[in-house]
Amino acid sequence: MHVVVGGDIGGAERVVADLATRPEPTGADHQVALFTPNRALASYFVRAGLRVHDRGQVRENPLAYLYRSLGPVDVHWLSALLVAEASDVVHTHTFGSHVLGTRAARRTGKPQLRSEHHVMHYFDPTCSPFTRWAAARTARFVAVSEYVRRVVTETAPRLASRMSVVRNGVDTHHFAPRESREPRPDTPLRLAVVCRLTAWKRVHLAVEAAALARCELVVVGDGEERARLEELAKERHAEVRFVGYQADPRPHVAACDAVLNTADSEPLGLSVLEALSMARPVIAFAAGGIPEIVENERTGFLVPEATAVALARAIEQARADRVALVRMGHDGRRFVLEQCSIERMCEGYAVAYAAAAGRS
């Protein structure tokens, strides 16, 4: 039983859908217990073919979180669901599910597997006490990258023996290369950013770098930072197009020469893997889990300094050899096929589920 508490359709939610629609390779039958204020998220899971137990419209604010996590009502509903469906493993994903899922698992005597998609909840003082309490009572952990595993086990060493690494996987048939752009030096360099427009993604650096390097940039995504970013693009006279959230970002990725990632210590970067799978090289800051999936000057460019000026230099380097960008894209596709396919992710989770359930 996947416990999903949140409002966005992000990387963690997409991983849930990818796992839950593949019972045979994961060695499990999947269901979702959903707590969300966002009807689009509920519809997303239903359209994917998942069996969803929807708690109905819920609120998302600090008081609602405390009542849902610590109060008697939602944990009773979830516990009854786990018993009624004879769930063998409770799978929690993001911070909102940690305490609630842990309490219900303990009430019903079910083992819990927790995917660590990020590390910030271990350090944010408003989150850390809750996530650490739940972590101490969780049977198994899956980190989405070696970076996440290292950071978590450094701050919580007792979790090391219970943690494995399974990278998020990409459906390489869905995210397949399309017709490549002709590498002509006389055409503008086109770049794309695909992410939620929130502060830690630092898309403002991509906008400023696009202005400095005088290239075209399309921003695929929405969020609370969008208005500020649109104003910044006007101030910098940058050629930036904002297309909002796209259920299918592939046409925009296919139309660009390379994809940017400007996040602050990205745990892994599912959109990065999807771009590589589509044979598009990636230009990103060399931090977090990015160096595990982007090889400098082979599948993209790793920028050592997290500034717009340094990013613009890397963009200019990419523009100087457009033929090399095509080669990098092919190498990126090969890397995903060998290391980060959805089949490989499912195999990793099959082992993790069996370990959590105490089976061989």
Side-chain angles (χ1 to χ4, degrees), residues 3-327:
V3 182
V4 177
V5 182
D8 297 329
I9 303 174
E13 290 72 25
R14 290 160 63 194
V15 168
V16 171
D18 286 338
L19 290 171
T21 51
R22 292 167 172 83
E24 290 187 8
T26 57
D29 293 320
H30 303 260
Q31 300 178 38
V32 175
L34 180 62
F35 300 75
T36 183
N38 183 6
R39 291 299 89 197
L41 177 56
S43 299
Y44 170 75
F45 284 143
V46 171
R47 286 196 308 272
L50 278 62
R51 186 178 176 192
V52 179
H53 303 275
D54 193 344
R55 187 68 170 119
Q57 193 83 18
V58 301
R59 296 181 179 180
E60 192 176 51
N61 57 59
L63 289 178
Y65 165 78
L66 289 173
Y67 184 76
R68 183 163 51 244
S69 297
L70 305 179
V73 179
D74 287 323
V75 72
H76 175 77
W77 179 86
L78 181 56
S79 299
L81 179 64
L82 296 176
V83 172
E85 298 298 330
S87 301
D88 294 305
V89 175
V90 180
H91 191 168
T92 55
H93 289 269
T94 52
F95 170 70
S97 68
H98 288 172
V99 173
L100 176 62
T102 300
R103 290 179 65 206
R106 286 166 61 81
R107 279 191 176 197
T108 56
K110 310 289 186 182
Q112 182 191 171
L113 172 71
R114 180 162 123 187
S115 288
E116 294 291 17
H117 298 273
H118 213 301
V119 298
M120 61 177 63
H121 46 273
Y122 279 90
F123 302 98
D124 186 323
T126 64
C127 302
S128 180
F130 300 99
T131 202
R132 289 173 185 267
W133 178 89
R137 293 157 179 82
T138 299
R140 301 288 301 180
F141 296 81
V142 167
V144 299
S145 66
E146 285 291 344
Y147 162 75
V148 170
R149 183 202 61 78
R150 183 178 68 255
V151 172
V152 171
T153 55
E154 284 176 355
T155 187
R158 293 183 179 181
L159 305 185
S161 62
R162 289 178 270 159
M163 183 168 290
S164 59
V165 175
V166 180
R167 286 177 180 157
N168 293 340
V170 175
D171 185 338
T172 55
H173 298 288
H174 185 73
F175 290 96
R178 300 189 179 185
E179 186 177 351
S180 298
R181 293 190 71 207
E182 193 68 26
R184 291 173 50 191
D186 58 330
T187 58
L189 187 73
R190 295 181 187 174
L191 304 173
V193 171
V194 184
C195 68
R196 177 161 176 77
L197 305 186
T198 193
W200 77 274
K201 292 292 188 177
R202 302 189 299 192
V203 179
H204 68 281
L205 294 176
V207 172
E208 292 178 349
L212 290 169
R214 298 186 180 278
C215 62
E216 297 178 2
L217 175 67
V218 60
V219 177
V220 183
D222 216 334
E224 65 274 11
E225 291 280 296
R226 178 168 177 173
R228 187 173 78 90
L229 291 168
E230 289 178 334
E231 186 61 31
L232 177 64
K234 291 179 182 177
E235 292 175 359
R236 299 290 190 270
H237 303 289
E239 193 171 347
V240 182
R241 186 161 56 97
F242 294 84
V243 298
Y245 169 75
Q246 300 289 313
D248 184 3
R250 291 176 299 169
H252 296 287
V253 174
C256 73
D257 297 293
V259 168
L260 301 182
N261 182 286
T262 53
D264 184 4
S265 296
E266 182 78 76
L268 182 69
L270 187 56
S271 64
V272 170
L273 290 175
E274 290 167 351
L276 294 174
S277 184
M278 291 187 67
R280 291 298 180 266
V282 173
I283 304 172
F285 296 123
I290 291 293
E292 298 177 34
I293 57 176
V294 177
E295 186 175 347
N296 191 42
E297 297 189 14
R298 183 180 176 192
T299 60
F301 295 94
L302 293 177
V303 184
E305 182 184 343
T307 65
V309 172
L311 185 60
R313 289 196 201 101
I315 293 171
E316 290 165 354
Q317 185 179 357
R319 178 164 47 204
D321 193 346
R322 306 283 279 273
V323 174
L325 286 182
V326 176
R327 186 192 68 248

